[in-house]
Structure formats: structure tokens, C-alpha cells
């Protein structure tokens, strides 16, 4: 907040001069212009001291980051401005301290965003045991029970942008020094050494470097924390973005209040007895039907029965022995496959049937409603290219039903019955964790996957832009200084070159947390 106005004030005279508006003191001589740059750059450097401290800490650990490049650019441009008046034979090229100041300002922004993201992530992780842990498995991203053990280590792992910077930036810094020597001393213009060095150094210091990971990560971490979720840094985001499949259960698609028992039709059976039998099997089976019939048994004050030989069929039906009677619960299609006689013309897709000893005894009508958060979560998942792997325990919720209810069937193939039961078990121990969830429901889960994928896309584009722009800038700066094309190496034109590479990155940064 303080450094930005200072940097803008530093650039104001250059912009006005480029617009052919002459300023009394600034336009009088190059020495005056250098002084007008030197003073605000020193002030901006003081305000950006966290960047230089991060560079020194990187030196102590043996790494070179964009903060070190900002420190070197600032030092070289300040030396060039300070010695300009002491070198009478120096060319009349303008100093480039404004570009170094912009780089330092962006590094400060990135540093602040990164620390904000880490603070939000660990503040969320410090809330206690998560309600669920998200991690990747062979069927895609899945959730389960677990703790935050290992989350801190994964969140602190180095991101890909830092890895590229650690490899590329020292080479560019060394190349800038070599190119400066060749362009100045190699051309018998030793008095222009500092200026040539500042040109190549600033041209190769892409402004995308600070925004490649730190800024989008800070926005993503803040957005996820407001949703009751946290991702384990670049490590967790890469894991979620690598597999675009999400396992979803029937309780995800129909949370409490979105489904209810709308009525019951009896066939020679007493109502409470039918509810008791159906509730005994469905509660044992779990999932959405277990929740609905548990609520129904409580509302009607019906006791559950003793259950023996419980079995879950491949097509979602439930079977078991109660008081020596064979009891089946499932869809009408399941009943027909079990040789249970159904009334003629009966074709309800949302009915739950109860059969005792092969005879239909009750039909429960289930009303499914689309909850607004679920519809929104499905829209953003579909829009971002994810597929749903259904691990349903309710046999009525099939792809055709999802297509009719939500306009999208998820696009994923359900696993076999054993995997479905395991993945839909809330007590299943999840590996990882790559992500933590402190709120139930599909929306925080969707935000975790979508934001992670957007973060990885933004980092990938940022890495490509920063690598190509820095290499192109180094070569271009060397060519122009070596050939003595000083007239095109003005601060405004060089900054325009850097901003053109930065322009494609800005929309990605601002929309990384917009699902």
C-alpha cells in the first residue's frame, strides 16, 4: 500500500515525457532525471525490504529465487544512477531504476499473497480434526475419515514455479553479466557497463515470475478457507488436478432436506411393521435411504428388528433375514429381478419397495429435490471438465435419473459393488491428506477440486510465460546493447515489452478463485 504510490510517482515523469510533456527540472538534463529516479527508488527499496530479506534467506539456504533477482536488479540500477554523474563519457541512455522498482513491488505483492495463503491454510487446518480428508485413489479424488497428519509437510513442499526459478534465474543472472561485459567492454564502451548490465538484467527479469504461483495460491487458499476447506499447497493441488474424477455419494447429491418419504402404499401389511422392516435393512445399508428411514422410524416411534444374513446386491438392492423371513428392499426393477410379483403397470423410478418372503408388502414413494448448492457444485464441476464417479447406495439414483434431475449424468463409470461400498463408507480411512474438509456437502468438495485445477493451470501458464519472456528479454537486451541501439531502450518501451508478456497472466490470476 505504501510502496505502490511511490513506484507510480517514479514512473509519472517518464510517462509524461513519453507523451512529449516536458517537466522543468526532470527534462533539463539526464543527471536530473537520474536524481528523480534515484530518490524514489531508494524509498521504494526501503518499503520493499521483506523482498530483500527473503533473497538473503534464500542465499543462506543456497537457493536463488525471484527475490534475489529483484535484489540484484535494484543494486545494479541504483549503482548506475548513482555513478551516472561521475562518468562523463557515459551514453545519454536513461536509467532503468523504475523497472527494478516494479519488479520489487510485484515480488512484495507475491510475498504478501503467499504468506496470506499459508496463514489461511494453516488457520483452517488448526481448527481441529477435519470432518473429512480428501485424497486421490485409483477411482479419482475421494474422501474419507482421517486427520491432518502429514498435511503441513505436503503444504510446505516447493512449488513448480520456485523449482523453475531456482534453475533458470541464476543462469540468467550470470548471462546478463556476460552479455553486459560483451556489450560494453567488448565494444570499448566500458563506461556503459552498469547500464548495459541493467538493461539485460531488467529485460530478462520477467514480471510474471512473482505471479506464477504465490499470488494465485494466496487467492485460492483464501477462497477455500471461506468454504471450510484447505489444500496442501502445490502438492495437493497437483494431485487433485491430475485426475478429473470425483467420487460422489447419494448423500452428496441429496443432502438433508433434499429428499423425503412422500407416502406409503401397503399390500396387506401394517404400516409401522413395514417401516420397521424397511428401516432395519436401509439403516444397515447406510447412505441416503438409511437416513430417510431412520428419520421415519423416529417420527413414527418404530423400533428396529434383529437382522441376520444382511446382503447388498450388485444392483443396489438390500436383502436379509428378519425373524426367519426373507426381506428385500430395493427398486421395482430389483424386485422383478428377484422374482417378486409387481402390480401391472407399476413403473415408478423413485419408489422403494419392500418384499417379505417373495411377496410385495409396501411401496414407499421418495421425493427427490435438487438443492441449489448441489446444482451449483455440479455446474462448476461440469464446466471445469470433471467427471463424477457415482458410489451410490440408493439403487434409484442411476445416470438416467441424474440426467433428468440435474441435466448431467456425471460422465463417470460406477465401480463394482465392493468399491462402491468402500468409497461411500464415511468411516473409510483416506490416504494423504492432500486436502482437508471442515464442512459437509458437495460444494466445499467441488471448490477444493476446481480451485486446485485452476491453480495448476495458472501456474503452468505462468511458468511458460516467465521462461519464454525472460529468455527472449535477455537475448533482445543483449542484441540491442551490443549493436548500440540505445534509442529503443527507454524505460517506457522496455516496460511495455515486459507488460505485454504479463497481460495474458493477469486474467488467470484474477479469476483463479472464480469457479
Amino acid at each position: 500500500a505504501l510502496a505502490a504510490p511511490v513506484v507510480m510517482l517514479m514512473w509519472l515523469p517518464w510517462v509524461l515525457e513519453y507523451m512529449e510533456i516536458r517537466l522543468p527540472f526532470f527534462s533539463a538534463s539526464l543527471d536530473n532525471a537520474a536524481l528523480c529516479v534515484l530518490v524514489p527508488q531508494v524509498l521504494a527499496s526501503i518499503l520493499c525490504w521483506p523482498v530483500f530479506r527473503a533473497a538473503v534467506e534464500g542465499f543462506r539456504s543456497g537457493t536463488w529465487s525471484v527475490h534475489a533477482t529483484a535484489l540484484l536488479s535494484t543494486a545494479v540500477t541504483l549503482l548506475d544512477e548513482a555513478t551516472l554523474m561521475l562518468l562523463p563519457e557515459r551514453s545519454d541512455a536513461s536509467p532503468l531504476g523504475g523497472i527494478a522498482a516494479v519488479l520489487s513491488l510485484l515480488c512484495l505483492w507475491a510475498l504478501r499473497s503467499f504468506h496470506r495463503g499459508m496463514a489461511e491454510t494453516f488457520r483452517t487446518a488448526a481448527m481441529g480434526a477435519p470432518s473429512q480428508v480428501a485424497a486421490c485413489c485409483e477411482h479419482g479424488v475421494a474422501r474419507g475419515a482421517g486427520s491432518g497428519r502429514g498435511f503441513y509437510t505436503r503444504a510446505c513442499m516447493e512449488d513448480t514455479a520456485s523449482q523453475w526459478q531456482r534453475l533458470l534465474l541464476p543462469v540468467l543472472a550470470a548471462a546478463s553479466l556476460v552479455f553486459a561485459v560483451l556489450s560494453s567492454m567488448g565494444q570499448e564502451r566500458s563506461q556503459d557497463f552498469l547500464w548495459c548490465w541493467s538493461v539485460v538484467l531488467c529485460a530478462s527479469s520477467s514480471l510474471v515470475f512473482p505471479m506464477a504461483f504465490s499470488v494465485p495460491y494466496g487467492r485460492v487458499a483464501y477462497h477455500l478457507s471461506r468454504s471450510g476447506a484447505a489444500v496442501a499447497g502445490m502438492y495437493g493441488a497437483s494431485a487433485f488436478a491430475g485426475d478429473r474424477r470425483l467420487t460422489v455419494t447419494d448423500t452428496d447429491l441429496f443432502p438433508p432436506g433434499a429428499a423425503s418419504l412422500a407416502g406409503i402404499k401397503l399390500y396387506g401389511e401394517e404400516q409401522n411393521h413395514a417401516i420397521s422392516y424397511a428401516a432395519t435393512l436401509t439403516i444397515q445399508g447406510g447412505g441416503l435411504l438409511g437416513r430417510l428411514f431412520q428419520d421415519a422410524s423416529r417420527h413414527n416411534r418404530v423400533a428396529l428388528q434383529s437382522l441376520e444374513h444382511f446382503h447388498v446386491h450388485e444392483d443396489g438392492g438390500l436383502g436379509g433375514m428378519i425373524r426367519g423371513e426373507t426381506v428385500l428392499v430395493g427398486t421395482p426393477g430389483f424386485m422383478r429381478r428377484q422374482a417378486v410379483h409387481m402390480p401391472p403397470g407399476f413403473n415408478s423410478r423413485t419408489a422403494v419397495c419392500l418384499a417379505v418372503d417373495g411377496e410385495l408388502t409396501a411401496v414407499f414413494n421418495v421425493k427427490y429435490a435438487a438443492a441449489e448448492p448441489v446444482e451449483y457444485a455440479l455446474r462448476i464441476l461440469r464446466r471445469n471438465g470433471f467427471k463424477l464417479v457415482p458410489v451410490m447406495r440408493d439403487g434409484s439414483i442411476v445416470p438416467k435419473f441424474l440426467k433428468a434431475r440435474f441435466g448431467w449424468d456425471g460422465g463417470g463409470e460406477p465401480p463394482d459393488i465392493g468399491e462402491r461400498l468402500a468409497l461411500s463408507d464415511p468411516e473409510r480411512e483416506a490416504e494423504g491428506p492432500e486436502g482437508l474438509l471442515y464442512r459437509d456437502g458437495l460444494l466445499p468438495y467441488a471448490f477444493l477440486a476446481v480451485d486446485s485445477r485452476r491453480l495448476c493451470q495458472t501456474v503452468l501458464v505462468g511458468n511458460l510465460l516467465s521462461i519464454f519472456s525472460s529468455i527472449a528479454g535477455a537475448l533482445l537486451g543483449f542484441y540491442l546493447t551490443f549493436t548500440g541501439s540505445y534509442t529503443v531502450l527507454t524505460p517506457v518501451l522496455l516496460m511495455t515489452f515486459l507488460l505485454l508478456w504479463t497481460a495474458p497472466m493477469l486474467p488467470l490470476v484474477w479469476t483463479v478463485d472464480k469457479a
Side-chain angles (χ1 to χ4, degrees), residues 18 286 452:
Y18 183 77
S452 296

Side-chain angles (χ1 to χ4, degrees), residues 20 25 41 79 96 113-114 137 246 298 310 325 328 351 361 373 401 434 466 481 505:
E20 298 182 355
F25 180 78
Q41 187 182 3
L79 284 175
L96 303 176
S113 299
F114 176 74
C137 66
L246 267 75
R298 290 176 180 175
F310 176 75
E325 297 175 312
L328 298 175
T361 58
F401 173 78
E434 279 85 34
S466 58
T481 53
M505 189 67 183

Side-chain angles (χ1 to χ4, degrees), residues 122-342:
F122 294 130
R123 182 187 64 82
T124 304
M127 294 172 59
S131 59
Q132 288 181 314
V133 168
C136 290
C137 66
E138 60 177 336
H139 297 287
V141 183
R143 293 162 298 172
S147 64
R149 186 182 300 275
F151 181 81
Y152 176 85
T153 303
R154 290 173 170 84
C156 292
M157 294 181 69
E158 188 178 30
D159 59 275
T160 56
S162 298
Q163 292 173 359
W164 278 108
Q165 293 172 20
R166 177 164 47 85
L167 297 175
L168 181 63
L169 290 178
V171 177
L172 291 176
S176 67
L177 178 59
V178 175
F179 290 161
V181 172
L182 295 176
S183 300
S184 58
M185 299 178 184
Q187 299 293 316
E188 297 182 355
R189 297 194 299 262
S190 58
Q191 68 278 3
D192 294 337
F193 167 71
L194 287 175
W195 182 81
C196 292
W197 193 7
S198 66
V199 169
V200 181
L201 193 60
C202 291
S204 62
S205 301
S206 174
L207 301 181
V208 184
F209 278 123
M211 294 185 290
F213 171 75
S214 298
V215 176
Y217 170 68
R219 297 178 65 88
V220 165
Y222 180 80
H223 181 246
L224 289 178
S225 68
R226 294 299 177 268
S227 304
V231 64
M234 190 67 191
Y235 179 90
S238 300
F240 294 142
D243 197 332
R244 300 181 186 178
R245 297 175 300 165
L246 267 75
T247 61
V248 293
T249 65
D250 43 12
T251 55
D252 292 329
L253 299 177
F254 298 98
S260 61
L261 293 178
I264 179 175
K265 186 175 183 180
L266 301 173
Y267 294 87
E269 184 62 86
E270 194 268 335
Q271 176 174 321
N272 288 347
H273 192 263
I275 294 177
S276 176
Y277 271 39
T280 301
L281 265 69
T282 54
I283 292 175
Q284 182 67 29
L288 175 61
L289 293 181
R291 187 185 72 205
L292 294 180
F293 279 94
Q294 186 175 34
D295 294 341
S297 61
R298 290 176 180 175
H299 181 266
N300 292 276
R301 298 180 181 180
V302 174
L304 302 181
Q305 306 292 328
S306 298
L307 179 64
E308 300 177 0
H309 307 296
F310 176 75
H311 179 68
V312 179
H313 294 264
E314 180 67 29
D315 47 5
L318 307 175
M321 296 290 293
I322 299 178
R323 296 182 178 180
E325 297 175 312
T326 302
V327 182
L328 298 175
V329 173
T331 62
F334 167 74
M335 292 297 173
R336 291 189 179 97
R337 286 188 292 271
Q338 297 297 319
V340 177
H341 177 71
M342 301 296 295

Side-chain angles (χ1 to χ4, degrees), residues 10 29 33 75 93 106 108 115 141 148 154 158 225 264 279 350 358 361 380 411 432 451 463 467 469 496:
M10 183 192 312
S29 66
L106 291 179
L108 184 63
H115 285 294
V141 183
R154 290 173 170 84
E158 188 178 30
S225 68
I264 179 175
T350 61
T361 58
I380 64 175
D451 285 4
N463 287 337
I467 292 171
S469 62
T496 303

